Amino acid sequence: MTKAAVFTVLSALLLSQAQAATTVKIATISPLSGAVSNLGVQMKNGAQLAVNEMKPQFAKLGMTLSLVAYDDQADPATGTSAARRALADKSVLGMVGPLTSGVAIPATQAMAPSHLVAVAPVATSEKVTDRGLKNVNRVCARDDAQGAAGGNFVAGTLKAKSVYVINDKTPYGQGMAAEAEKAMKAKGVRVVQSEGVTAEDRDFTAVITKVQALKPDAIYFAGLYGQIGPFTQQLRAKGIQTPIVSGDGLDSPDFIKLAGQNVSNVYFTSLAPSLSVVPAAKKVADQYQKTFGAPIQGTGIMAYDSAKVVLTGILNAAKQGGNKVPTRAQVEKAVRGGTFKGLTGDIKFNASGDRTSAKIYVEAIKSGKRSTAATLNITRK
């Protein structure tokens, strides 16, 4: 090989290495297939909008920014495997997600030794942050706040004297139901039945038979829309109009498709706002529609904010290090210690990774239409 040829090969190799060194990625882990893929796609797309928006800022520092999306199918084992794949890609400096608490708990545990930071949009279980991991943060309120808000709604607004409680046997559903029960019992509401159903259950004949016999004033179901939708449809088909109350797992237009276009008397607490209560999100909503051909939902808004936190954390860490690509540990520190501007307000995390000031929205569904009934402010030290 001639000297010129050797020089050409070495130049190409060095250029390739330089390009690899300046590539920066963030990842998402969410269900892109399966029963709750609607929420997972919203999360991925919301994060993608933030990436698209901030690419020029990274380019000024000589960095090429992109997003890599992993499908966890809402399964903890699949999600943890995805986290390990993200860890193996050294250009991934941050994570948006995972979507569900059941995946977030083991996946972020696997990420912790490598300091890969995660900002979860809507993972609500207390266990997500109570473990004290430095790499785990979230922009939403927790189950202990959301479950209590739902329980207080049942007791205070619905004025129910008795309630039938169901959970989907996941960390999310069990934690939410426990907090709701605690709040309802404290207000004198009698829990006539409290039981778990597996997340795969879609035939609720046995449960509905017990509801018919016990005649509760309200039903509290802590789970996801892909399951609560069929439950509601089957319950209403039996002529039972008992109010159903749930958490943010119900927050999807697909719930109405599953429950019935004219479904009414359903309420849920949501950690993600609708556009009517977040006017600042209109520009992002328009861009979402233009980019993906569908309307943005609350999960998309929360994912956008989560991605902006991760990306701003990376930029802040880079600037503190002489405009060089930061390490994962540097990004982890910058995210936990920073203050960020989001569509949902200022974002700052406490020592556990919980947002110091978050909101919970109480949503009502009547004749297949959703409206915001109340907004609650939640603070944590």
Side-chain angles (χ1 to χ4, degrees):
M1 184 180 289
T2 65
K3 290 183 178 180
V6 171
F7 178 78
T8 300
V9 171
L10 289 175
S11 296
L13 179 60
L14 289 171
L15 178 61
S16 174
Q17 290 175 336
Q19 289 173 335
T22 59
T23 298
V24 170
K25 300 175 186 175
I26 67 167
T28 59
I29 295 180
S30 66
L32 304 179
S33 59
V36 292
S37 59
N38 173 272
L39 297 179
V41 170
Q42 278 280 328
M43 197 189 89
K44 174 183 76 72
N45 290 348
Q48 184 67 63
L49 281 187
V51 167
N52 295 348
E53 180 182 315
M54 295 187 69
K55 279 183 179 181
Q57 296 180 54
F58 280 79
K60 287 179 181 178
L61 300 181
M63 302 177 195
T64 301
L65 176 65
S66 64
L67 181 141
V68 55
Y70 297 95
D71 181 8
D72 65 18
Q73 301 171 27
D75 173 68
T78 304
T80 303
S81 176
R84 296 190 189 284
R85 288 160 58 199
L87 288 172
D89 185 345
K90 299 304 180 184
S91 61
V92 174
L93 298 184
M95 176 77 68
V96 174
L99 178 83
T100 64
S101 297
V103 174
I105 292 167
T108 54
Q109 188 76 49
M111 292 157 52
S114 298
H115 302 284
L116 183 59
V117 72
V119 178
V122 291
T124 56
S125 171
E126 300 97 303
K127 294 179 182 178
V128 172
T129 49
D130 279 355
R131 296 167 297 159
L133 299 180
K134 294 181 179 180
N135 68 316
V136 183
N137 312 274
R138 58 175 147 208
V139 299
C140 61
R142 299 159 37 122
D143 281 347
D144 48 5
Q146 188 184 186
N152 289 334
F153 179 82
V154 169
T157 303
L158 296 183
K159 301 188 183 306
K161 300 300 181 184
S162 61
V163 63
Y164 194 114
V165 179
I166 309 168
N167 74 79
D168 65 0
K169 292 186 178 180
T170 67
Y172 165 77
Q174 290 173 329
M176 186 87 74
E179 293 298 333
E181 278 194 46
K182 187 188 303 182
M184 290 185 289
K185 288 178 179 177
K187 294 284 181 71
V189 179
R190 182 169 58 93
V191 177
V192 297
Q193 178 78 22
S194 182
E195 67 176 302
V197 295
T198 63
E200 295 75 26
D201 285 348
R202 293 297 183 273
D203 182 351
F204 296 98
T205 303
V207 174
I208 292 171
T209 298
K210 285 183 276 188
V211 169
Q212 287 176 307
L214 294 170
K215 295 182 172 57
D217 296 329
I219 298 167
Y220 188 90
F221 195 149
L224 300 178
Y225 71 88
Q227 183 173 48
I228 307 175
F231 168 78
T232 304
Q233 188 277 325
Q234 293 169 38
L235 188 76
R236 297 296 188 246
K238 290 288 187 180
I240 303 172
Q241 299 301 319
T242 305
I244 297 171
V245 181
S246 187
D248 62 315
L250 204 73
D251 194 355
S252 169
D254 284 359
F255 167 77
I256 294 172
K257 296 178 183 177
L258 295 168
Q261 292 298 320
N262 294 314
V263 65
S264 290
N265 218 11
V266 176
Y267 307 88
F268 65 96
T269 50
S270 177
L271 309 173
S274 62
L275 289 177
S276 63
V277 295
V278 187
K282 186 181 186 309
K283 182 178 178 181
V284 172
D286 291 343
Q287 190 60 45
Y288 190 102
Q289 182 71 47
K290 180 180 178 181
T291 304
F292 304 110
I296 196 170
Q297 298 166 25
T299 301
I301 293 172
M302 299 295 275
Y304 174 88
D305 272 6
S306 298
K308 291 295 289 282
V309 168
V310 173
L311 294 169
T312 304
I314 294 172
L315 285 177
N316 289 345
K319 291 171 182 175
Q320 291 168 7
N323 292 334
K324 297 179 181 179
V325 176
T327 65
R328 287 173 173 172
Q330 289 170 332
V331 176
E332 176 187 67
K333 185 177 180 180
V335 168
R336 178 60 63 85
T339 299
F340 309 91
K341 295 288 186 181
L343 297 175
T344 56
D346 289 345
I347 300 170
K348 184 174 179 59
F349 304 112
N350 66 12
S352 299
D354 284 310
R355 187 171 177 173
T356 57
S357 180
K359 289 181 172 60
I360 292 177
Y361 308 90
V362 180
E363 304 290 303
I365 298 177
K366 182 178 180 180
S367 299
K369 303 294 184 182
R370 165 182 170 170
S371 62
T372 302
T375 299
L376 311 174
N377 294 311
I378 307 297
T379 59
R380 297 190 71 85
K381 294 182 179 180

